[in-house]
C-alpha cells in the first residue's frame, strides 16, 4: 500500500506545483491542417484523405490537456463522420455514415474541428482547433449499361446514292463519371449488311442500294461506354429504299386470281400513278383484256349451234353444215377437228380436207332471202398469187363446172358469189360481192354473217355491219337438169375434168357454218350469237369524278379512261374489274395490257409512262356431276301400250346436279357435296337393241310439252333427242311427257331405252340411265270359262283419244265455234255413259277398285301379291270369240290412226300442239278414266273365285 501511494503523491505534487506556478493546466488549442482533400468510392465507407487526419496539441504530454478526444463535422447533412483512432497521437479517420451515390452527388464540402480532452477527466475547460475545410470527391463505379434514346430508328434513302450519314443513333449512360457515362463506341450487330457506323453513331451505306434488289433493310445496333460495358438491349434501325422517281403505275399485282361465280373482281384496288410532281393537264389510260387464245376469241358459250340459235331467239329452220360427227351426220367424220377447250367444236382445214354435204341435208329452197353464218379464223395466204380458198360452194355435180353460190377468200378479201337461174331472173344482175377487211387475215376468230336480201347483201363481222366495196354483175345461169353438190372446205369440180375432184381448198379454221333459207338474221340475234361472256367492267360508276370519261368497245375487251386530275384517274382505275358471267367458265390465263398517255400544259406529251402487263387467272370451276334417277323397269298391260297416248316411261324421272365444295373446319378443308342448278343443252333417249319398227311402235313427245321452253325435239327409229339450252326442271318436265306406243304389244317382250343428258355440248355428261318397258301378259285362257264373270258387251274397251284426234283435226282446220261446242258436249256425254257403265259393273261384282292415277305403279305387283284362286271353265269358245272381236277392233283403230301419224311433231300431231292446256287436261282425264275402267274389268274378269 505504501508503494501505491508514492506515485499518487508525486502526481498530486506535480499538479499542485503547476497550479502554483501558472494557475492553468490546458493552455493550448489543438491544431489541424487548414484543408483536406478526400476521395471515396461510391457504395464504400472509407475516405482517403490528403493529408491524413491528425490533430496536435502543445499541451502534450500533459494528460487530458495534450490529448485529442474528438473530431466534429459541420455541414449540411454531410453523410460522413470522423473518428479518433489515437488520443495521444491525435490520429483520426473520416468515413461515410451512410451509402454514398455518385449519381446523386459527386462531391461534398464540409468543416471539421478537433477537440482536446480538457483540463481533467471531466473534460472541463476543453479547447477546439481552428476550422478546416474538407473537400470529398466521390469516385464512380461502372454499374449502368448504355441505353438508346429511341426504341426504333427509321430512315429512307433513294436508290443509287452513297450517303455520308443516313441517320444517327444515340445512346446514354446513367453513370456519373466521364469514364463510365460516355459512349465510346457503336457497333452494327446484323452481319452482311451494306451499312457501317462510326463512334458517334452515324450510319452510312457502303454500296449503292437498288430498289429492285431490296426495298427495305432492318439492322440491329449496339453501344459501348468507355468502360466497355455493352448496352443491355440492341436497337432496331429500319432503312427504306425508295426508287428513283420514275413516272409510272405503282401498287399493282402481276396476277389476279378469279374464282368462277364471284361476279365482278377488282383488278387494281391499290394502284396509283406516280408522276414525280410534274404539272399535268390530262391522262388517258387504255386497258386491254387479251383473250384471243381462249376458245373462239374469248370465253363464249360452247353449246351446239342449234342450241345457241334457240337460246338467242333465232328463227328455226337453219341447217348446220359442220355438225359433230355421228351416224346421221357422218360427212364431217373425215375432217380434222380442233376441239380446243370445253367441247367447243372447231374444224381445221389445212388445204387437203373437204366434205360433200348429203343432198337430203342441203337446203333446196333458197329464195331472195337467206342467211349464211360461220366462225372463221384465217391468216394470209402464202405465195404472191394466192388461190381462192373456198369455205362453202354449191356447184354442178357432173358434166359442167358452174358455181351456183359460194363463199370464199381471195387475197384477204371475202367474196360471196350468187348466180341466179333464168327461171328467177333473166337480166344482168349482181353476182359477186367483195369485202376487204383486216379481220379476214389477222389469224383471229371472227363471226361472219351474210344476210342476203337480193339484190342487196350485207356482211356482219362480230356484230358490226360492212357493205361490199365491190359488186360485180353477171348473167344468170341457164336452167339444166344437172344436180348440184354442196361442199364445205373446197369446191367440187365434177365436170370439164377427167376425174371429178375437189379444188380451191380452204386454209384455216371454221365452226358453226349454217344456212337459213327464207329468213335473214336480225342484229339482236347476231349480237347474241357472237357475244363474249367475259370482259372488263367498272364498279360504282356513280362514285367516279365528274371529269372522268370512259368508253368500252362492243366486246368490252378494251376500256379507255380519260381525266384531267391524277387523283380522279387513280380512283377510276381502282374500280376497273374483270367479270365472267359463265357458270362454268374456261379456266386459264387472260392477259392484261395497260397503256398510258400523259399530257402537260402546252405540250403534246411530257412524261413517258411504261406499259403494264398483268394476267387474270380464271380458276377451274367445280365440275358438276349430273345424275338421272328414276324407276328402271316399267311393266304395263298391253291395253296401255296400245292406247293413243301409250305409256310414259320416264314419269318418275329426276335430274340433279352436284359439285364438290370444300369448307374450312378447325384449320382443315373437308370436301362436301352441294347441289347446284344449271342448264342442260340436250338429252338423248336411245333405243337399245333393234330400232323402232314404225309399223307397230313409236317414241313420241307432244309439241305442247315443249311450249314455253327453249326446247326442240327430233326423233327417228333409233330414239328421240330433246335439245336447247334450258333448265333441268324444264328438261324433267319434257322427258316425263315422252310417250312410248306399241299397237301390237303381243309381239313385244321388252323394249329397252337409254337416257343421257349433257351440259355445254358434252363438256359435262350425266350417267347412263337405262329403262326397260315390259308388257303385262294375262294368263292364257283354258277350257273353263266363268259365265258370271262379266258380260262381253260391257268389256269392250273405249278409245276416246281417237275422237280427240278427230276433234283436234277439226280445230286445226278452223272449225266454227258452234261445231266445236257440239263436239265437246258429245264427248262429255259419251264419257258420262262410260263412267256409269263402269260403276254398274263395279256394283254388280262388289270388287274394290284399283287406283291407277300414278302410272308408275307396277300392275305386276298386284298380280303377284293376289291371293285369289282362279278356277276356269272349259268353255273356251266364248272367250275365244271375245278375243276375235278385240283383234278386229284393234285393226280398225290402227287403220284410223295411220292417217294421223304423218301429222306428228316428234311423234304427235301438230294439231294437238295448238290445243289449250284445258283440252289436254280433259284428254288426260278421259284417258285415265278409260284406263281405270279397262283395268278394273280385266281384274274383275280374272280374279273371282268359284
Amino acid at each position: 500500500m505504501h508503494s501505491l501511494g508514492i506515485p499518487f503523491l508525486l502526481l498530486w505534487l506535480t499538479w499542485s506545483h503547476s497550479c502554483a506556478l501558472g494557475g492553468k493546466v490546458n493552455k493550448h488549442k489543438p491544431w489541424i491542417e487548414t484543408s483536406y482533400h478526400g476521395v471515396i468510392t461510391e457504395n464504400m465507407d472509407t475516405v482517403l484523405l490528403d493529408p491524413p487526419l491528425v490533430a496536435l496539441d502543445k499541451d502534450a504530454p500533459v494528460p487530458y490537456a495534450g490529448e485529442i478526444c474528438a473530431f466534429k463535422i459541420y455541414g449540411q447533412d454531410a453523410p460522413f463522420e470522423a473518428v479518433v483512432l489515437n488520443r495521444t497521437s491525435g490520429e483520426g479517420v473520416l468515413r461515410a455514415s451512410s451509402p454514398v451515390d455518385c449519381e446523386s452527388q459527386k462531391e461534398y464540402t464540409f468543416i471539421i474541428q478537433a477537440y482536446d480532452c480538457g483540463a481533467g477527466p471531466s473534460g472541463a475547460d476543453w479547447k477546439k482547433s481552428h476550422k478546416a475545410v474538407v473537400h470529398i470527391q466521390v469516385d464512380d463505379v461502372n454499374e449502368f449499361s448504355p441505353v438508346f434514346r429511341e426504341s426504333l430508328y427509321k430512315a429512307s434513302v433513294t436508290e443509287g446514292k452513297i450517303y455520308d450519314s443516313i441517320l444517327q443513333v444515340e445512346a446514354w449512360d446513367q453513370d456519373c463519371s466521364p469514364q463510365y457515362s460516355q459512349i465510346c463506341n457503336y457497333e452494327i450487330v446484323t452481319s452482311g449488311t451494306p451499312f457501317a457506323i462510326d463512334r458517334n453513331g452515324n450510319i452510312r451505306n457502303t454500296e449503292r442500294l437498288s430498289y429492285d434488289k431490296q426495298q427495305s433493310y432492318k439492322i440491329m445496333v449496339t453501344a459501348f461506354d468507355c468502360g466497355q460495358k455493352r448496352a443491355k438491349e440492341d436497337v432496331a434501325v429500319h432503312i427504306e429504299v425508295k426508287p428513283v422517281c420514275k413516272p409510272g403505275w405503282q401498287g399493282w399485282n402481276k396476277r389476279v386470281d378469279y374464282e368462277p361465280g364471284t361476279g365482278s373482281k377488282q383488278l387494281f384496288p391499290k394502284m396509283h400513278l406516280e408522276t414525280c410532281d410534274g404539272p399535268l393537264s390530262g391522262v388517258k389510260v387504255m386497258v386491254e383484256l387479251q383473250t384471243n387464245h381462249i376458245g373462239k376469241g374469248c370465253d363464249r358459250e360452247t353449246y351446239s349451234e342449234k342450241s345457241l340459235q334457240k337460246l338467242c331467239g333465232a328463227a328455226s329452220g337453219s341447217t348446220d353444215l359442220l355438225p359433230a360427227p355421228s351416224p346421221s351426220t357422218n360427212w364431217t367424220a373425215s375432217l380434222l377437228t380442233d376441239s380446243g377447250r370445253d367441247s367447243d367444236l372447231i374444224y381445221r382445214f389445212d388445204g387437203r380436207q373437204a366434205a360433200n354435204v348429203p343432198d337430203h341435208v342441203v337446203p333446196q329452197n333458197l329464195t331472195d332471202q337467206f342467211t349464211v353464218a360461220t366462225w372463221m379464223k384465217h391468216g394470209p395466204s402464202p405465195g404472191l398469187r394466192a388461190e381462192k380458198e373456198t369455205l362453202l360452194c354449191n356447184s354442178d355435180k357432173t358434166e359442167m363446172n358452174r358455181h351456183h353460190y359460194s363463199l370464199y377468200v381471195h387475197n384477204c378479201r371475202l367474196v360471196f358469189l350468187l348466180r341466179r337461174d333464168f327461171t328467177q331472173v333473166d337480166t344482168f344482175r349482181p353476182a359477186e360481192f367483195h369485202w376487204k377487211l383486216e379481220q379476214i387475215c389477222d389469224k383471229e376468230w371472227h363471226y361472219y354473217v351474210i344476210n342476203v336480201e337480193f339484190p342487196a347483201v350485207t356482211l356482219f363481222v362480230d356484230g358490226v355491219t360492212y357493205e361490199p366495196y365491190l359488186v360485180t354483175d353477171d348473167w344468170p345461169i341457164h336452167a339444166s337438169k344437172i344436180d348440184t353438190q354442196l361442199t364445205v372446205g373446197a369446191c367440187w369440180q365434177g365436170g370439164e375434168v377427167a376425174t371429178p375432184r375437189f379444188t380451191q381448198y380452204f386454209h384455216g379454221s371454221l365452226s358453226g357454218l349454217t344456212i337459213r333459207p327464207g329468213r335473214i338474221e336480225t342484229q339482236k340475234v347476231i349480237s347474241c350469237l357472237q357475244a363474249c361472256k367475259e370482259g372488263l367492267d367498272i364498279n360504282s360508276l356513280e362514285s367516279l369524278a365528274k371529269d372522268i370519261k370512259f368508253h368500252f368497245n362492243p366486246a368490252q375487251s378494251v376500256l379507255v379512261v380519260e381525266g384531267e386530275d391524277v387523283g380522279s384517274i387513280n380512283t377510276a382505275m381502282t374500280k376497273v374489274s374483270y367479270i365472267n358471267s359463265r357458270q362454268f367458265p374456261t379456266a386459264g390465263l387472260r392477259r392484261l395490257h395497260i397503256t398510258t398517255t400523259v399530257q402537260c400544259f402546252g405540250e403534246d406529251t411530257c412524261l413517258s409512262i411504261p406499259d403494264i402487263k398483268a394476267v387474270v387467272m380464271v380458276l377451274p370451276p367445280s365440275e358438276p356431276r349430273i345424275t338421272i334417277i328414276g324407276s328402271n323397269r316399267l311393266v304395263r298391260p298391253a291395253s296401255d301400250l296400245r292406247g293413243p297416248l301409250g305409256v310414259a316411261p320416264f314419269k318418275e324421272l329426276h335430274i340433279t346436279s352436284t359439285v364438290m365444295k370444300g369448307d374450312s373446319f378447325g384449320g382443315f378443308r373437308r370436301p362436301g357435296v352441294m347441289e347446284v342448278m344449271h342448264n342442260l343443252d340436250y338429252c338423248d333417249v336411245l333405243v337399245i337393241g333393234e330400232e323402232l319398227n314404225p309399223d307397230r311402235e313409236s317414241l313420241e313427245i307432244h309439241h305442247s310439252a315443249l311450249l314455253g321452253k327453249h326446247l326442240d325435239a327430233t326423233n327417228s327409229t333409233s330414239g328421240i333427242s330433246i335439245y336447247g339450252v334450258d333448265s333441268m326442271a324444264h328438261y324433267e318436265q319434257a322427258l316425263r311427257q315422252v310417250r312410248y306406243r306399241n299397237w301390237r304389244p303381243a309381239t313385244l317382250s321388252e323394249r329397252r331405252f337409254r337416257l343421257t343428258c349433257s351440259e355445254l355440248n358434252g363438256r359435262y355428261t350425266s350417267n347412263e340411265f337405262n329403262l326397260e318397258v315390259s308388257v303385262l301378259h294375262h294368263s292364257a285362257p283354258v277350257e273353263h270359262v266363268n259365265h258370271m264373270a262379266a258380260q262381253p258387251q260391257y268389256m269392250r274397251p273405249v278409245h276416246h283419244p281417237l275422237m280427240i284426234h278427230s276433234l283436234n283435226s277439226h280445230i286445226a282446220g278452223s272449225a266454227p265455234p258452234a261445231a266445236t261446242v257440239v263436239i265437246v258436249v258429245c264427248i262429255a256425254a259419251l264419257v258420262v255413259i262410260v263412267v256409269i257403265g263402269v260403276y254398274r259393273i263395279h256394283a254388280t261384282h262388289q270388287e274394290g277398285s284399283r287406283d291407277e292415277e300414278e302410272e308408275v305403279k307396277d300392275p305386276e305387283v298386284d298380280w303377284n301379291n293376289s291371293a285369289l284362286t282362279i278356277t276356269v271353265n272349259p268353255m273356251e269358245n266364248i272367250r275365244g270369240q271375245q278375243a276375235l272381236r278385240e283383234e278386229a277392233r284393234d285393226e280398225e283403230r290402227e287403220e284410223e290412226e295411220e292417217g294421223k301419224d304423218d301429222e306428228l311433231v316428234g311423234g304427235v300431231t301438230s294439231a294437238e300442239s295448238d290445243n289449250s292446256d284445258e283440252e289436254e287436261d280433259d284428254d288426260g282425264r278421259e284417258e285415265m278414266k278409260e284406263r281405270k275402267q279397262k283395268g278394273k274389268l280385266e281384274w274383275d274378269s280374272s280374279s273371282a273365285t268359284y
Side-chain angles (χ1 to χ4, degrees):
M1 184 175 181
H2 180 71
S3 59
L4 292 174
I6 292 176
F8 178 77
L9 180 60
L10 292 175
L11 180 61
W12 183 83
L13 290 175
T14 302
W15 178 77
S16 298
H17 175 71
S18 299
C19 290
L21 293 176
K24 288 186 178 180
V25 176
N26 191 5
K27 294 183 178 180
H28 300 92
K29 297 185 295 184
W31 180 89
I32 58 175
E33 298 287 346
T34 57
S35 63
Y36 295 91
H37 293 273
V39 176
I40 184 173
T41 302
E42 64 176 338
N43 301 324
M44 304 288 287
D45 60 354
T46 302
V47 179
L48 298 178
L49 280 178
D50 182 26
L53 183 59
V54 176
L56 301 177
D57 197 323
K58 291 183 178 181
D59 292 326
V62 177
Y64 298 104
E67 297 175 352
I68 303 302
C69 279
F71 292 98
K72 289 187 178 181
I73 294 175
Y74 300 94
Q76 294 181 352
D77 300 327
F80 297 96
E81 61 181 2
V83 179
V84 177
L85 298 179
N86 190 319
R87 294 173 61 177
T88 302
S89 63
E91 295 181 25
V93 65
L94 187 65
R95 61 189 181 189
S97 59
S98 61
V100 177
D101 186 9
C102 177
E103 286 74 34
S104 299
Q105 189 169 341
K106 297 180 180 181
E107 297 178 348
Y108 293 91
T109 300
F110 51 87
I111 303 298
I112 188 170
Q113 284 182 309
Y115 287 80
D116 61 15
C117 296
S122 63
D125 197 19
W126 50 264
K127 293 186 182 295
K128 60 183 178 180
S129 68
H130 60 273
K131 295 179 180 180
V133 177
V134 180
H135 183 76
I136 304 297
Q137 180 178 348
V138 182
D139 276 356
D140 188 21
V141 175
N142 196 5
E143 57 183 333
F144 293 100
S145 300
V147 177
F148 285 95
R149 297 190 181 278
E150 303 290 341
S151 59
L152 175 66
Y153 289 90
K154 294 182 178 180
S156 61
V157 296
T158 301
E159 63 174 342
K161 293 179 61 177
I162 295 293
Y163 290 81
D164 294 333
S165 177
I166 297 175
L167 79 161
Q168 182 182 23
V169 297
E170 184 180 1
W172 67 287
D173 198 311
Q174 295 184 38
D175 290 316
C176 65
S177 64
Q179 180 182 2
Y180 299 133
S181 65
Q182 291 183 1
I183 306 301
C184 284
N185 193 24
Y186 291 93
E187 185 177 316
I188 295 177
V189 180
T190 307
S191 60
T193 62
F195 300 98
I197 190 170
D198 61 17
R199 61 184 303 170
N200 295 322
N202 293 306
I203 298 176
R204 61 183 175 85
N205 57 320
T206 59
E207 62 184 51
R208 300 182 188 276
L209 305 179
S210 171
Y211 177 82
D212 295 333
K213 181 179 179 181
Q214 190 167 345
Q215 289 81 35
S216 64
Y217 292 87
K218 178 182 178 181
I219 60 177
M220 302 301 294
V221 176
T222 191
F224 295 89
D225 61 19
C226 293
Q228 294 303 305
K229 194 175 187 68
R230 179 174 174 171
K232 283 187 177 181
E233 294 184 1
D234 301 335
V235 70
V237 179
H238 289 180
I239 299 177
E240 180 184 0
V241 180
K242 290 185 177 181
V244 176
C245 188
K246 299 177 182 178
W249 291 101
Q250 298 180 4
W252 54 277
N253 295 323
K254 293 184 178 180
R255 168 172 166 164
V256 180
D257 288 341
Y258 181 80
E259 183 76 25
T262 56
S264 184
K265 175 69 176 290
Q266 284 181 275
L267 296 175
F268 316 108
K270 298 180 179 179
M271 188 169 73
H272 63 278
L273 181 62
E274 176 61 59
T275 61
C276 297
D277 299 328
L280 308 178
S281 60
V283 180
K284 180 179 180 181
V285 185
M286 184 173 71
V287 184
E288 182 181 3
L289 179 68
Q290 299 174 348
T291 59
N292 298 335
H293 60 292
I294 301 296
K296 294 194 291 287
C298 67
D299 209 1
R300 294 181 170 93
E301 297 292 6
T302 55
Y303 295 114
S304 66
E305 198 64 28
K306 279 190 175 181
S307 297
L308 280 176
Q309 290 178 358
K310 187 79 173 177
L311 183 65
C312 291
S316 60
S318 67
T319 301
D320 190 356
L321 302 180
L322 285 176
S326 69
S328 59
T329 58
N330 57 3
W331 70 89
T332 59
S334 62
L335 300 179
L336 297 178
T337 58
D338 182 10
S339 297
R341 300 185 182 186
D342 307 331
S343 303
D344 197 1
L345 185 60
I346 295 171
Y347 287 96
R348 181 164 51 87
F349 297 86
D350 60 0
R352 290 174 293 181
Q353 289 84 25
N356 284 330
V357 182
D359 292 340
H360 69 275
V361 177
V362 178
Q364 303 295 332
N365 55 343
L366 290 185
T367 61
D368 287 345
Q369 284 190 341
F370 63 93
T371 299
V372 179
T374 185
W375 285 95
M376 183 178 72
K377 181 180 180 181
H378 181 264
S381 303
L384 296 176
R385 297 185 60 184
E387 295 184 356
K388 294 180 179 180
E389 299 178 53
T390 302
L391 288 73
L392 177 70
C393 180
N394 184 268
S395 59
D396 290 332
K397 185 176 293 187
T398 58
E399 298 183 27
M400 304 181 71
N401 187 27
R402 298 176 302 174
H403 295 185
H404 296 261
Y405 61 86
S406 67
L407 179 65
Y408 62 89
V409 174
H410 188 210
N411 289 327
C412 292
R413 291 166 174 80
L414 186 66
V415 182
F416 179 67
L417 170 69
L418 180 61
R419 299 284 302 277
R420 312 308 302 267
D421 294 339
F422 260 110
T423 57
Q424 298 172 311
V425 65
D426 58 356
T427 59
F428 207 56
R429 300 301 298 273
E432 279 190 342
F433 304 84
H434 300 248
W435 293 270
K436 184 178 181 180
L437 305 172
E438 294 180 357
Q439 295 92 321
I440 297 172
C441 289
D442 64 358
K443 296 183 180 180
E444 303 291 346
W445 280 106
H446 300 283
Y447 187 56
Y448 299 83
V449 178
I450 296 178
N451 273 348
V452 178
E453 287 183 290
F454 195 79
V457 177
T458 304
L459 171 67
F460 292 84
V461 180
D462 298 332
V464 180
T465 306
Y466 296 93
E467 296 296 332
Y469 81 94
L470 175 64
V471 178
T472 59
D473 296 343
D474 203 347
W475 289 104
I477 295 178
H478 291 278
S480 67
K481 296 183 179 180
I482 301 175
D483 294 332
T484 59
Q485 175 65 60
L486 183 62
T487 310
V488 176
C491 202
W492 179 254
Q493 187 173 1
E496 301 179 359
V497 291
T499 303
R501 60 185 175 86
F502 289 113
T503 185
Q504 299 177 5
Y505 283 99
F506 178 70
H507 297 77
S509 298
L510 298 176
S511 179
L513 177 58
T514 61
I515 293 182
R516 175 178 286 105
R519 296 285 297 272
I520 62 171
E521 212 62 274
T522 64
Q523 177 79 45
K524 181 179 180 181
V525 171
I526 294 173
S527 299
C528 176
L529 290 173
Q530 60 90 36
C532 289
K533 295 300 180 180
E534 63 179 342
L536 298 173
D537 192 18
I538 292 184
N539 291 335
S540 304
L541 292 175
E542 63 278 359
S543 63
L544 296 180
K546 294 182 179 180
D547 65 315
I548 292 296
K549 300 177 182 179
F550 67 92
H551 62 272
F552 293 93
N553 68 333
Q556 283 194 224
S557 60
V558 177
L559 167 64
V560 177
V561 181
E562 296 182 73
E564 299 176 357
D565 180 63
V566 175
S568 300
I569 288 289
N570 291 337
T571 302
M573 291 301 294
T574 60
K575 300 182 181 300
V576 176
S577 305
Y578 169 81
I579 188 171
N580 194 316
S581 59
R582 293 189 67 190
Q583 189 172 8
F584 305 106
T586 302
L589 293 176
R590 277 77 164 159
R591 293 178 178 83
L592 288 168
H593 188 203
I594 301 178
T595 56
T596 308
T597 304
V598 177
Q599 293 181 343
C600 295
F601 292 98
E603 300 180 22
D604 293 336
T605 58
C606 54
L607 294 178
S608 177
I609 307 296
D611 291 353
I612 287 180
K613 293 184 178 180
V615 295
V616 177
M617 173 59 78
V618 178
L619 303 178
S622 299
E623 296 192 358
R625 181 179 180 181
I626 306 170
T627 306
I628 304 174
I629 57 176
S631 177
N632 295 100
R633 180 178 173 83
L634 182 68
V635 182
R636 283 291 178 266
S639 59
D640 287 0
L641 293 173
R642 283 195 303 264
L645 296 180
V647 296
F650 304 104
K651 186 127 182 111
E652 284 187 343
L653 182 77
H654 290 283
I655 304 175
T656 59
S657 183
T658 57
V659 295
M660 299 295 293
K661 288 287 186 181
D663 59 344
S664 298
F665 180 77
F668 300 95
R669 287 188 65 83
R670 57 184 183 185
V673 179
M674 183 177 68
E675 186 171 350
V676 295
M677 300 301 295
H678 57 78
N679 291 331
L680 300 175
D681 59 351
Y682 69 80
C683 285
D684 290 339
V685 180
L686 300 178
V687 178
I688 307 302
E690 294 184 2
E691 294 189 354
L692 297 174
N693 187 343
D695 295 335
R696 62 171 181 264
E697 59 184 339
S698 67
L699 189 65
E700 312 165 347
I701 183 170
H702 199 290
H703 182 72
S704 61
L706 308 177
L707 293 178
K709 306 176 180 68
H710 294 288
L711 298 178
D712 209 341
T714 59
N715 73 338
S716 65
T717 57
S718 59
I720 189 169
S721 177
I722 303 174
Y723 62 89
V725 182
D726 212 331
S727 65
M728 292 187 292
H730 280 180
Y731 267 92
E732 271 189 8
Q733 296 171 11
L735 287 168
R736 289 174 182 174
Q737 298 186 59
V738 172
R739 318 292 297 193
Y740 172 68
R741 298 176 60 204
N742 191 315
W743 41 93
R744 295 180 185 174
T747 62
L748 178 68
S749 58
E750 63 180 17
R751 172 58 80 184
R752 291 183 296 140
F753 302 99
R754 176 174 297 160
L755 170 63
T756 57
C757 292
S758 155
E759 164 65 337
L760 294 175
N761 202 22
R763 178 179 174 186
Y764 306 116
T765 56
S766 70
N767 60 310
E768 293 183 348
F769 177 75
N770 296 308
L771 173 68
E772 181 180 301
V773 178
S774 301
V775 182
L776 179 62
H777 295 285
H778 301 300
S779 301
V782 289
E783 296 180 353
H784 301 283
V785 178
N786 190 344
H787 297 282
M788 301 296 294
Q791 301 290 333
Q793 58 269 24
Y794 295 120
M795 295 184 62
R796 179 178 300 173
V798 180
H799 293 274
H800 300 300
L802 288 177
M803 302 176 186
I804 295 173
H805 284 220
S806 177
L807 172 61
N808 290 339
S809 300
H810 290 305
I811 295 174
S814 302
T820 302
V821 174
V822 172
I823 294 173
V824 172
V825 171
C826 293
I827 293 176
L830 182 58
V831 172
V832 172
I833 294 173
V834 173
V835 172
I836 294 175
V838 173
Y839 178 78
R840 289 181 177 178
I841 295 173
H842 171 73
T844 303
H845 298 286
Q846 296 181 354
E847 294 291 336
S849 63
R850 179 178 62 178
D851 186 8
E852 282 191 10
E853 292 180 0
E854 294 292 335
E855 293 185 12
V856 297
K857 184 176 179 181
D858 192 348
E860 189 175 19
V861 177
D862 296 335
W863 283 94
N864 294 338
N865 293 340
S866 176
L868 299 177
T869 303
I870 302 174
T871 303
V872 231
N873 198 303
M875 299 178 65
E876 186 181 2
N877 57 341
I878 299 176
R879 194 68 179 269
Q881 294 174 2
Q882 179 183 351
L884 291 175
R885 288 193 296 269
E886 286 289 331
E887 291 182 2
R889 283 192 296 270
D890 287 345
E891 292 175 357
E892 292 175 1
R893 284 193 301 271
E894 292 173 10
E895 293 174 357
E896 293 175 2
E897 291 172 1
E898 284 178 355
K900 301 180 182 298
D901 290 340
D902 294 337
E903 299 175 3
L904 291 174
V905 179
V908 181
T909 61
S910 59
E912 288 179 343
S913 65
D914 299 329
N915 289 345
S916 64
D917 293 339
E918 292 183 359
E919 293 170 347
E920 290 175 9
D921 293 339
D922 292 341
D923 296 347
R925 284 193 291 270
E926 293 178 6
E927 174 71 12
M928 186 62 69
K929 291 176 182 178
E930 175 189 342
R931 292 183 183 179
K932 287 185 178 181
Q933 177 187 2
K934 290 162 57 180
K936 186 198 309 182
L937 294 179
E938 289 167 0
W939 176 273
D940 292 343
S941 64
S942 58
S943 59
T945 303
Y946 293 95

